[in-house]
Amino acid sequence: MSTSATPSVLFVCVHNAGRSQMGAAFLTRLGGDHVRVRSAGSAPADSVNPAVVEAMREVGIDISAETPKVLTVEAVQSSDVVITMGCGDACPYFPGKRYLDWQLDDPAGQGVAAVRPIRDEIERRIRRLLAELGIEASA
């Protein structure tokens, strides 16, 4: 981890349209100003998955204005924790970074009913991550 008092977390998936967007949104909501959050994709989609937007809206988080972003070496270098969600070997590796690979179903092409359990599992993992980082979850 960096010497900064505020850890930085990067969520990465292929399209940055589902899992990584949910992870970033939950960490932003629950971590507040105690953590810096980014998300990116190795092959970003044109827009965030509408079923993911709806599933997040159901828990009071609006990600409708989010847009998929391209993964850059700089984003990885400036992060303390890199959480991959099905991006395979597309994520650059730098020694000294903490990497977590979260195996989660891909919400692509799924309806809201299929996205809900993925969303709920991501929230559970975010709460565990915050505890590991010594940050009390808000909300």
Side-chain angles (χ1 to χ4, degrees):
M1 299 264 293
S2 71
T3 57
S4 169
T6 305
S8 177
V9 178
L10 172 65
F11 293 91
V12 182
C13 67
V14 174
H15 300 296
N16 190 222
R19 296 166 288 188
S20 57
Q21 291 284 348
M22 288 189 281
F26 273 122
L27 187 55
T28 297
R29 165 69 64 86
L30 298 171
D33 294 337
H34 303 289
V35 64
R36 291 179 315 202
V37 182
R38 288 191 281 291
S39 71
S42 54
D46 293 329
S47 61
V48 175
N49 180 330
V52 168
V53 172
E54 179 58 31
M56 293 302 285
R57 184 176 290 124
E58 291 176 353
V59 295
I61 300 175
D62 182 6
I63 62 169
S64 62
E66 295 298 326
T67 57
K69 295 164 257 343
V70 68
L71 176 64
T72 65
V73 170
E74 294 78 20
V76 177
Q77 286 177 319
S78 63
S79 298
D80 298 306
V81 180
V82 179
I83 299 174
T84 57
M85 302 167 143
C87 69
D89 295 331
C91 188
Y93 178 82
F94 293 97
K97 303 290 176 195
R98 179 178 176 198
Y99 288 86
L100 301 172
D101 185 34
W102 289 0
Q103 297 294 316
L104 298 158
D105 290 338
D106 188 348
Q110 303 293 321
V112 176
V115 173
R116 286 182 189 120
I118 301 167
R119 173 201 66 200
D120 296 344
E121 178 59 23
I122 289 172
E123 181 181 9
R124 281 189 286 279
R125 293 181 188 203
I126 293 297
R127 289 182 180 279
R128 279 196 305 266
L129 176 66
L130 285 167
E132 291 170 12
L133 294 173
I135 299 169
E136 186 174 334
S138 58

